[in-house]
Amino acid sequence: MSQPESAVADAQAGGRSGQEPLAKLAKRYGLRRAIARPRFPVYLRLLWQRRHFILTYATSRNVTKYSSSALGQLWQVLTPLLNAGIYFVMFGVILGGGKDIENYPAFLLTGMFIFTYTQRTVTAGAKSISGNLSMIRALHFPRASLPLAYTIQELQQLAISMGVLLVLVAATGEWPTWYWLMIPVVLLLQTLFNVGAGLVVARLGAQMRDLNQLLPFITRTWLYASGVFFSIQAKVVGAAGLPQWVADVMYLNPAASYIEWMREILIPSYNTAYGHHPPTMVLVSCVFWAVFALGFGFWYFWRSEERYGRG
């Protein structure tokens, strides 16, 4: 009788001693659970081996996402443009939010496009596990492949959106400078943060059924706290008269940090006090959130690898 057959026979008999626990019995015969969580380095290596699947899955989702609409892929550009138009009328014209900001259209467009990238990634990540249960239960693969694919999908859409943003910013009079070469650096750091945030909300979304109902309220609050349509310095310190540390705390918000850095690159007239360079704490915040979110996100998601798709 082979070793696996012997193990099955022992298990059916309750172990050779008649009282041996099944866990010890499996260990004695070298058997492992079918969906055992691999060690973290092994898990990362398995993800890398499935990089082609992740990229193909993300691309296919992008192709099919707008296939049933008349305008197709144009919606990925029209959505932030329409949102920016609504906020411009409400906060820039009616409430006068842009009266102290030179080139408010470029200011608002930059904030909307950068924030929308993170917002869409987080929202999609929350559904990446709960929305693919049939695939998870049918196939064996690292579950982090799904939130990663959703992030890559949003990154592919951002590539088109950023092209439109640069054209619109240039149309407002902000001509390209050498500082525009820093744009990929900011987007890389933001993407690393988005990957980590997407992994965190993917696990939470798989365990909390009500998260998708709460996310719109969370992201809307995040939008208002990130200075998308107003200057944090001007409104918090100048208009409201609050201490500088309150504005500094708002700048440390990851979404606000990436928005501030991108505005400093694209709109030199936005903050002449710093020229073309954002405050040091904004740079530190961008790097910190990218590294911390990526590391913590992978670890946090990996810890529940065995539970995804169950129940």
Side-chain angles (χ1 to χ4, degrees):
M1 182 181 296
S2 66
Q3 191 177 45
E5 291 174 344
S6 177
V8 172
D10 275 1
Q12 292 174 342
R16 290 184 177 177
S17 65
Q19 298 178 348
E20 186 175 7
L22 290 179
K24 289 185 177 181
L25 181 66
K27 183 178 181 181
R28 175 151 58 87
Y29 283 99
L31 302 181
R32 298 179 59 192
R33 285 174 296 170
I35 315 180
R37 183 184 68 201
R39 291 182 297 108
F40 191 62
V42 176
Y43 189 72
L44 296 179
R45 186 167 66 249
L46 291 174
L47 276 174
W48 175 251
Q49 292 173 354
R50 286 156 177 82
R51 61 190 182 278
H52 301 297
F53 160 72
I54 295 173
L55 180 60
T56 302
Y57 184 64
T59 304
S60 63
R61 282 186 55 84
N62 250 334
V63 172
T64 59
K65 184 173 184 178
Y66 300 102
S67 59
S68 60
S69 60
L71 296 179
Q73 298 292 323
L74 283 176
W75 279 111
Q76 65 190 15
V77 177
L78 290 176
T79 300
L81 280 177
L82 291 174
N83 286 332
I86 293 172
Y87 285 125
F88 177 77
V89 172
M90 292 180 58
F91 294 94
V93 178
I94 298 177
L95 299 179
K99 63 181 180 180
D100 298 323
I101 301 175
E102 190 173 348
N103 199 350
Y104 186 68
F107 174 93
L108 181 62
L109 285 170
T110 301
M112 281 302 306
F113 274 70
I114 297 302
F115 182 83
T116 298
Y117 175 37
T118 294
Q119 179 189 40
R120 289 170 61 113
T121 302
V122 170
T123 303
K127 303 175 183 178
S128 60
I129 298 298
S130 59
N132 291 279
L133 291 180
S134 58
M135 181 189 299
I136 291 174
R137 290 168 179 169
L139 302 173
H140 181 63
F141 62 94
R143 309 315 189 197
S145 301
L146 295 174
L148 282 175
Y150 279 61
T151 303
I152 292 176
Q153 177 189 354
E154 297 302 331
L155 179 62
Q156 291 174 339
Q157 295 189 7
L158 178 71
I160 300 175
S161 300
M162 283 302 298
V164 175
L165 174 62
L166 295 181
V167 171
L168 293 175
V169 169
T172 63
E174 302 290 349
W175 295 104
T177 66
W178 288 108
Y179 293 99
W180 283 32
L181 296 177
M182 291 292 293
I183 292 175
V185 177
V186 182
L187 294 181
L188 172 61
L189 293 174
Q190 185 183 10
T191 300
L192 296 179
F193 168 77
N194 288 356
V195 169
L199 288 166
V200 171
V201 296
R203 173 175 170 176
L204 294 176
Q207 299 173 349
M208 300 169 53
R209 297 183 179 181
D210 294 331
L211 180 62
N212 289 326
Q213 307 302 322
L214 292 173
L215 264 182
F217 302 99
I218 296 173
T219 55
R220 192 174 302 121
T221 303
W222 197 6
L223 171 74
Y224 295 145
S226 299
V228 172
F229 38 79
F230 64 89
S231 169
I232 293 177
Q233 187 70 27
K235 289 296 182 183
V236 173
V237 179
L242 296 175
Q244 180 62 43
W245 66 265
V246 178
D248 292 342
V249 170
M250 294 183 68
Y251 281 130
L252 296 179
N253 161 14
S257 295
Y258 295 118
I259 290 172
E260 284 296 308
W261 196 355
M262 188 64 73
R263 280 172 175 163
E264 295 288 346
I265 292 172
L266 296 180
I267 316 171
S269 59
Y270 163 55
N271 192 343
T272 56
Y274 297 105
H276 294 282
H277 303 282
T280 302
M281 66 176 179
V282 171
L283 299 176
V284 174
S285 175
C286 289
V287 175
F288 168 79
W289 283 114
V291 174
F292 174 78
L294 185 68
F296 177 77
F298 268 113
W299 176 84
Y300 183 72
F301 185 90
W302 164 76
R303 293 285 296 176
S304 281
E305 178 72 11
E306 298 172 327
R307 287 183 255 170
Y308 300 127
R310 294 190 176 185

